[in-house]
Amino acid sequence: MQKIPLSPGNILMLILSLSIFIAAPFLGAQEASPAPSGRHGRGQREGQSPQAGQAPLASAQAQAPAGREGGGGRVGRENPLYIQAKTASRSSFVTLGGRLSPLRRIDQTAGVAGIVSQIFARPGSAIQAGSPILSITREAPGESYLPVLVRARISGRIADIKPALGSEVGASAVVASVIDDSSLTLEASVSDRDVHRISALNTRDVRGKSADGQEFSGSLSGISLEPDYVTGLFTARFLFPSQPGARVGTVLFIDLPVSEVRGIFIDRSLIQRRFGRSMLWVMGADDSLNLQEVQTGALFDQEITIVSGLAESSLILRRLTAKESQGMSRAEWEEAAKA
């Protein structure tokens, strides 16, 4: 083996050779792995990059079918052009009416004949049982009597005082009326058709509504066992505890839910009568108009019950344009409805 002299030049060549030998593996690795191009490289790791000729994910979602739409919104949400038929419940009501009356009314009478000498109360004022309402003085030639006081028999309010101060009253004459308005009652007439349905109510709680829109809570206290044989009507009695706004003489209307009906309910104006049959415009599954026959039932205000002939989830036209025709396409009708 020949020895190489260790001159400065030879030492430098040896160092360079060793450096190249050590760095060669790292240089090869860099050439085999290209640098990622920023955010695109990150996206390839998190999700597969699209193959050649394949649509991007966002575009595929945009092209996917979004269900039946029309009139500016998906059917099933609030839609200005269509109603989706759904089964629901409605209550059938019997409406009764009457005036609020005091729980009790007592007519106060004069115990003796004489002259009204004093009046201690006035109409509308509150009074307690035993409090004096007025006094009566008896006069007879040669005789003197103490004044006789007419006292309230119940607590409540003075409804009326009939005689004036200084007027003459006879024995047993009605001189005042006292009402107990701690609770108010109402009596209403009921037909023999409704009396049994009202008697079978699950709850006795009721709500009465006045002509000016005020509502009052009360209860059904009873129904007469026999009718008035002149009118043929029964009497239902209601009790309304004292509450703000409730006054004697107020007219109340009471809606009693006597039955419940389940079905599909639509606006009665959408029903068309053709040759004695009830017809309804429906948007078919093939996106064309179809005038189909339906069987209708009870009315609930402006709604009518569809008994048969209409499947749940069917699309009903929300309003009619007078341009509907059998087989008309969805696009044509929507254009006519918007116009």
Side-chain angles (χ1 to χ4, degrees), residues 10 18 22 36 64 133 280 291:
N10 292 338
L18 290 174
I22 294 172
I133 299 174
L280 183 65
L291 186 62

Side-chain angles (χ1 to χ4, degrees), residues 111-173:
V112 296
I115 304 298
V116 177
S117 56
Q118 279 186 291
I119 297 177
F120 303 102
R122 64 179 186 275
S125 62
I127 195 167
Q128 296 296 318
S131 298
I133 299 174
L134 53 81
S135 65
I136 299 174
T137 301
R138 292 181 293 170
E139 294 183 355
E143 297 183 8
S144 176
Y145 299 94
L146 292 175
V148 176
L149 294 176
V150 177
R151 298 179 182 274
R153 293 162 55 191
I154 61 171
S155 298
R157 295 183 182 277
I158 300 294
D160 185 28
I161 296 179
K162 298 184 181 300
L165 186 65
S167 61
E168 185 176 356
V169 295
S172 301

Side-chain angles (χ1 to χ4, degrees), residues 234-288:
F234 292 80
T235 300
R237 297 180 177 87
F238 301 89
L239 182 65
F240 289 85
S242 179
Q243 51 198 289
R247 300 185 305 275
V248 172
T250 300
V251 176
L252 293 187
F253 297 95
I254 303 171
D255 290 332
L256 299 177
V258 293
S259 64
E260 186 177 89
V261 176
R262 283 188 61 79
I264 297 174
F265 303 89
I266 65 169
D267 193 300
R268 59 194 298 186
S269 64
L270 298 177
I271 296 293
Q272 293 192 336
R273 297 291 293 176
R274 300 282 180 90
F275 306 106
R277 298 180 299 171
S278 296
M279 311 296 289
L280 183 65
W281 284 107
V282 177
M283 184 63 70
D286 59 351
D287 282 348
S288 64

Side-chain angles (χ1 to χ4, degrees), residues 46-64:
E46 294 179 351
Q48 297 288 336
S49 61
Q51 301 288 333
Q54 181 180 0
L57 181 60
S59 300
Q61 290 177 344
Q63 294 170 3

